[in-house]
């Protein structure tokens, strides 16, 4: 499965553009609504300067149908098959910076720049037709459905980013607002270009360059981490550190209901910094045996927060071990034993132990 294309430096020329995006098995077919059904197949959009039209293709296996991205045979067994779509309302030879994504309705969304303005085409479920949104003053639009970042279609949205006309402000628009509201993401001290939006695991990355240095990556902006949704029983949660570098923030969202969390262990990296980790746990009527945080052997101990709603349960013990060197950062443990009108807290904190570092400074606790 190959396509002929050529690269070129950004400028005033309008060279052919090709954009790849994960999408549905069939246009408009949401199926069971799962991630695999909506975003498990390969699609490509092309601004064809020869035929002067916008074209959409899907990767398919001859004699079988759509090629799945997880097909163990690889893309070599697939070919590009054109899927008919309505033409764009503007001359293709004057359109630039085209982007492609798919929404929750299994319909394609295309964005592009035309005469210094951003245009967006999306599917309208009311009229059962494609409609245009915009124009919005700006340049260099990129688009992405954040379902390919958080892997959870029910809480996903199509997001569009673009620069202001003077290229000093980065803005974001969302499909759930019909792209009408622009939110400022970042301002720059000098003009920049916006090249691409990259779907990392549970995080979005926007990449671009300075106008004064187009051949180098001038900036990389990353979103907050998306939550990890766990729908099955969680026996234990263990986070293994990297062998080198920094420990990246991890967020785990888990509503246990009537399930039991056995143990939660966070292992510190052997070198580098220990980045904050937050675990929010709704125990319901269950019991938490113990929670233990092991300190790194070197470096600083960054604040760790445990949020715990005791309800009718008892916390056996909580222990924080200090690092052998460095500073011990502020630690706060809050226990509510206040008597309110009509309610007496029945909770009990067994023991709480704080071990001081052998060297360094002991900060307030």
């Amino acid at each position: 499965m190959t396509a002929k294309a050529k690269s070129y430096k950004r400028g005033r020329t309008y060279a052919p553009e090709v954009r790849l995006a994960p999408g549905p098995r069939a246009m408009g077919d949401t199926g069971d609504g799962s991630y695999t059904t909506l975003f498990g197949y390969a699609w490509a959009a092309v601004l064809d300067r020869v035929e002067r039209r916008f074209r959409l293709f899907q990767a398919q296996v001859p004699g079988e149908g759509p090629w799945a991205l997880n097909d163990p045979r690889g893309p070599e067994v697939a070919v590009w098959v054109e899927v008919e779509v309505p033409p764009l309302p503007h001359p293709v030879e004057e359109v630039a910076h085209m982007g492609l994504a798919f929404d929750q309705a299994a319909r394609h969304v295309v964005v592009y720049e035309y005469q210094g303005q951003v245009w967006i085409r999306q599917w309208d479920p009311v009229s059962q037709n494609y409609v245009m949104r915009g124009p919005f003053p700006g340049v260099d639009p990129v688009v992405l459905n954040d379902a390919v970042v958080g892997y959870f279609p029910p809480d996903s949205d199509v997001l569009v980013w673009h620069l202001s006309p003077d290229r000093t402000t980065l803005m974001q628009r969302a499909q759930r607002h019909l792209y009408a509201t622009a939110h400022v993401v970042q301002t720059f001290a000098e003009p920049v270009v916006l090249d691409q939006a990259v779907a990392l695991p549970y995080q979005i990355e926007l990449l671009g360059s300075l106008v004064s240095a187009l051949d180098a990556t001038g900036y990389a902006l990353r979103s907050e981490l998306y939550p990890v949704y766990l729908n099955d029983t969680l026996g234990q949660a263990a986070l293994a550190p990297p062998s080198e570098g920094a420990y990246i923030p991890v967020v785990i969202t888990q509503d246990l209901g009537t399930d039991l969390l056995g143990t939660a262990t966070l292992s510190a990296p052997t070198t580098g910094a220990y980045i904050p980790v937050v675990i929010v746990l709704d125990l319901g009527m269950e019991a938490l045996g113990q929670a233990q945080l092991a300190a790194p052997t070197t470096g600083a101990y960054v604040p760790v927060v445990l949020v715990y709603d005791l309800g009718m349960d008892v916390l056996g013990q909580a222990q924080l071990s200090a690092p052998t060197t460095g500073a011990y950062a502020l630690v706060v443990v809050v226990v509510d034993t206040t008597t309110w009108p009509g309610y007496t807290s029945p909770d009990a904190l067994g023991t709480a132990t704080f071990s001081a570092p052998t060297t360094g400074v002991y900060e307030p606790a």
Side-chain angles (χ1 to χ4, degrees), residues 21-26 36-43 58-59 66-69 102:
R25 177 177 177 83
T36 301
T37 300
L38 293 174
F39 303 99
Y41 301 87
W43 293 76
Q58 184 189 44
W67 173 77
L69 291 171
F102 286 84

Side-chain angles (χ1 to χ4, degrees), residues 76-258:
E76 292 77 13
V77 300
V79 297
W80 290 111
V81 177
E82 185 167 5
V83 177
E84 292 297 325
V85 292
L88 298 179
H90 300 109
V92 170
E93 57 270 21
E94 299 179 25
V95 168
H97 220 285
M98 178 261 297
L100 174 69
F102 286 84
D103 61 16
Q104 300 87 334
R107 298 284 182 173
H108 78 280
V109 177
V110 59
V111 304
Y112 58 88
E113 175 190 336
Y114 173 68
Q115 294 184 350
Q117 295 180 312
V118 174
W119 290 85
I120 305 170
R121 185 172 77 179
Q122 69 165 122
W123 177 258
D124 180 14
V126 177
S127 63
Q128 292 291 296
N129 285 304
Y130 285 99
V131 297
M132 299 300 297
R133 306 295 184 191
F136 307 114
V139 294
D140 296 359
V142 294
V143 62
L144 183 147
N145 189 321
D146 63 1
V148 302
V149 177
Y151 312 104
F152 191 66
D155 193 29
S156 64
D157 202 358
V158 179
L159 303 176
V160 172
W161 298 269
H162 65 85
L163 296 171
S164 59
D166 63 0
R167 295 184 174 277
T168 60
T169 304
L170 176 62
M171 291 174 284
Q172 175 182 290
R173 300 176 184 271
Q175 179 173 281
R176 67 183 60 185
H177 301 143
L178 300 181
Y179 307 105
T181 303
H183 300 277
V184 175
V185 176
Q186 183 76 25
T187 57
F188 302 93
E190 61 179 290
V192 300
V193 296
L194 177 59
D195 283 320
Q196 56 183 314
V198 181
L200 302 177
Y202 301 102
Q203 200 170 40
I204 297 172
E205 184 176 63
L206 301 176
L207 298 172
S209 305
L210 304 177
V211 171
S212 58
L214 295 177
D215 293 333
T217 299
Y219 64 91
L221 303 176
R222 288 191 176 183
S223 68
E224 296 292 332
L225 283 173
Y226 279 64
V228 180
Y229 291 91
L230 304 175
N231 297 319
D232 301 320
T233 301
L234 179 62
Q236 63 177 11
L239 303 177
S243 57
E244 61 181 14
Y247 203 98
I248 298 176
V250 175
V251 178
I252 298 179
T253 301
Q254 171 71 16
D255 183 3
L256 289 175
T258 58

Side-chain angles (χ1 to χ4, degrees), residues 230 233-238 252 254 256-265 279-283 286-291 308:
L230 304 175
T233 301
L234 179 62
Q236 63 177 11
I252 298 179
Q254 171 71 16
L256 289 175
T258 58
D259 299 320
L260 178 65
L261 175 63
T263 60
T265 304
I279 298 179
V280 179
L281 179 64
D282 182 7
L283 288 175
E286 310 301 335
L288 175 64
Q290 62 179 15
Y308 183 72

